Amino acid sequence: MTTQNSTFMAVPGPREQIISTQPFVVRRRILWGECDPAGVVYTPRYGDLSADAGQLFLACIGGGKGYVDAKRKQGIGTPCKAFSLVFHSSLAPDDEVDISVTVGHIGNTSFELVIKARTPKEQLVFEGSTTLITIQQGTRAAIKVPTSLRDLLVAYQTA
């Protein structure tokens, strides 16, 4: 059945898409189910947004078909050691947010991903960081950040 309603609106763009690889930026559209009854994103979802952007970044630089595949190719695991976020403004259903990922400190057995999220109009929404430890795949033993991964991370390191 076809309707001809001139007020019909187009469906929003995709839920998530990489819009730049250098710098690395992923655009994410907020879903209704990610929000509380007041119509703003539930606080824990900001952590999900940050972690998802970090995983897409690592998948992209690691050359995998996804985050898990990229880690498998490196022969590592990456449990989280530290995570922090600072909120500057809220998001509501159908809002879009551009989440940039850069690399902060690279240590002997860990590295930091720096996250900044802005609306497409450049309003800062949240910023933070996550520190990941490199471990031997299948164990909980920390290992040096592999040289191949370190080289990839350096290309995205913040000044």
Side-chain angles (χ1 to χ4, degrees):
M1 181 168 132
T2 304
T3 61
Q4 295 181 351
N5 183 345
S6 62
T7 62
F8 183 80
M9 301 294 277
V11 175
R15 178 178 184 207
E16 187 172 68
Q17 61 183 332
I18 295 170
I19 61 172
S20 172
T21 57
Q22 191 61 280
F24 187 87
V25 180
V26 61
R27 177 165 289 165
R28 177 74 155 61
R29 185 174 46 83
I30 301 302
L31 301 178
W32 176 83
E34 295 171 313
C35 298
D36 65 18
V40 297
V41 171
Y42 285 110
T43 301
R45 296 296 172 250
Y46 289 98
D48 293 341
L49 293 169
S50 179
D52 290 350
Q55 290 177 5
L56 280 172
F57 168 75
L58 292 171
C60 183
I61 70 166
K65 63 182 179 185
Y67 177 57
V68 173
D69 187 51
K71 290 190 312 179
R72 182 190 55 73
K73 286 182 175 188
Q74 291 284 337
I76 62 168
T78 55
C80 185
K81 175 183 179 181
F83 180 75
S84 72
L85 283 180
V86 176
F87 303 100
H88 297 281
S89 61
S90 62
L91 294 168
D94 293 329
D95 282 351
E96 290 183 326
V97 62
D98 294 343
I99 307 167
S100 68
V101 181
T102 57
V103 177
H105 177 73
I106 303 172
N108 189 38
T109 61
S110 65
F111 59 94
E112 174 190 35
L113 299 180
V114 178
I115 310 293
K116 288 194 180 182
R118 292 181 170 84
T119 66
K121 292 182 178 181
E122 295 296 320
Q123 179 184 4
L124 187 60
V125 178
F126 67 87
E127 58 188 330
S129 68
T130 184
T131 301
L132 302 172
I133 302 169
T134 51
I135 62 170
Q136 181 66 44
Q137 202 168 43
T139 74
R140 301 306 280 172
I143 60 170
K144 287 185 178 182
V145 175
T147 303
S148 57
L149 177 57
R150 182 179 295 275
D151 292 344
L152 295 168
L153 293 170
V154 166
Y156 288 87
Q157 198 163 25
T158 54

